[in-house]
Amino acid sequence: MVAMKESNQPKYRRILLKLSGEALGGESGVGIRPEAVQDMAEQIREVRDLGVQVVLVVGGGNIFRGQRGSERGIERATGDYMGMLATVINALALQDALEKLGVATRVQSAITMAQVAETFIRRRAVRHLEKGRVVIFGGGTGNPYFSTDTAAALRANEIGAEVILKATKVDGIYDSDPKKNRKAKRYSQITYLDALRQQLKVMDSTAFSLCMDNKMPIIVFDLFRPHNLKRVVMGEKVGTLVTG
Ligand code: UDP
């Protein structure tokens, strides 16, 4: 897919936005805060209104993480399935907020649950996008021991997204933790290899190698600043671009 040339046109035609579960929990990052979900939905509508095809992959860390469960005695695979179900709850929350803003959506789940979501079918997802619907992927990859970042990397490649936009609470990738080091430097662009060499944790290793092997660009940016998603989509230098 080619990026459009005119500066008043979006740079991307099809994007995959990865939202962590924590983003839905607002300040505390726990549970679901309707105001936080609403803010996100408004930013998503803004880019949808530009004609950009939008896919969302949502995490579940605001509700449950398999790893944390297993530290407390829950079998890892069971905990992971609990985490995947949590992502579907988040997907429904986002769907509700988007539809209230008049944005047509479909939720597709990697775990079959016909009453609440369509099952993930790649061609059907692409068709929804072509019709202008925002497609929300819940259920991660459908497999334990994976993450929703890996689901994002996988789905972005499958449905032909041009870029993964990873929404975080910081405005990009730094050479050290900006919360601990006031002199930490933000990269505006970095290669996959340099990010690996410097052990900058952009995503978990499975997700990251999927992106690197398939040359899928990643932009890490702060979604909590108003209109930031639109700025990224319009090609402004926001956050950090990870590329080959
Ligand atoms: N999970 C999983 N397989 C997947 C995606 C997610 O087992 O393909 C589980 C895993 O336990 C994870 C939880 O779902 O901890 C929530 O997802 P994640 O931690 O990626 O959410 P985020 O950190 O983005 O909120």
Side-chain angles (χ1 to χ4, degrees):
M1 227 161 283
V2 279
M4 297 183 194
K5 281 196 189 99
E6 296 90 332
S7 60
N8 61 344
Q9 290 293 314
K11 182 169 179 200
Y12 304 105
R13 284 181 47 206
R14 184 175 291 172
I15 58 165
L16 185 145
L17 175 65
K18 163 71 209 308
L19 297 166
S20 69
E22 280 177 352
L24 278 68
E27 285 291 299
S28 70
V30 180
I32 295 174
R33 284 194 69 89
E35 311 80 44
V37 183
Q38 164 99 14
D39 282 354
M40 262 175 263
E42 273 166 13
Q43 292 221 38
I44 293 162
R45 180 179 61 174
E46 222 170 43
V47 294
R48 181 45 265 161
D49 286 351
L50 296 169
V52 177
Q53 297 180 5
V54 184
V55 177
L56 305 176
V57 168
V58 62
N62 54 324
I63 300 173
F64 199 84
R65 274 186 221 277
Q67 177 79 47
R68 216 178 294 154
S70 74
E71 285 157 15
R72 293 175 186 179
I74 295 176
E75 194 193 342
R76 175 64 195 265
T78 303
D80 279 342
Y81 279 111
M82 291 165 72
M84 285 184 259
L85 296 180
T87 71
V88 179
I89 295 177
N90 286 336
L92 295 180
L94 274 167
Q95 175 172 49
D96 182 74
L98 282 163
E99 299 251 333
K100 283 199 175 109
L101 296 176
V103 179
T105 65
R106 291 290 186 275
V107 175
Q108 289 203 345
S109 171
I111 296 177
T112 307
M113 44 178 100
Q115 282 79 4
V116 292
E118 289 179 6
T119 297
F120 170 67
I121 299 174
R122 187 178 71 91
R123 284 176 188 277
R124 184 181 258 194
V126 169
R127 192 77 193 109
H128 288 321
L129 292 173
E130 288 166 355
K131 287 185 173 170
R133 297 170 184 144
V134 171
V135 179
I136 309 165
F137 289 134
T141 64
N143 301 291
Y145 295 97
F146 286 95
S147 67
T148 51
D149 276 358
T150 300
L154 180 64
R155 298 297 185 232
N157 283 298
E158 276 188 277
I159 56 102
E162 292 153 286
V163 64
I164 295 179
L165 306 179
K166 186 174 156 67
T168 60
K169 286 181 176 173
V170 261
D171 60 348
I173 302 170
Y174 284 77
D175 59 356
S176 58
D177 188 346
K179 282 183 196 138
K180 292 180 190 151
N181 177 10
R182 284 174 56 207
K183 287 187 181 152
K185 246 184 40 213
R186 184 174 64 83
Y187 296 104
S188 61
Q189 191 164 341
I190 189 165
T191 63
Y192 300 110
L193 282 176
D194 281 340
L196 275 180
R197 264 188 224 118
Q198 296 180 46
Q199 300 186 328
L200 305 171
K201 289 205 178 67
V202 183
M203 288 178 166
D204 62 82
S205 56
T206 312
F208 195 75
S209 28
L210 250 177
C211 291
M212 185 167 73
D213 293 350
N214 295 286
K215 300 185 177 59
M216 173 63 65
I218 309 162
I219 297 176
V220 178
F221 76 109
D222 180 1
L223 184 65
F224 294 88
R225 285 203 198 152
H227 312 295
N228 239 12
L229 179 59
K230 183 176 177 184
R231 292 174 62 209
V232 174
V233 166
M234 294 305 291
E236 279 185 47
K237 288 206 181 312
V238 174
T240 303
L241 169 67
V242 189
T243 184

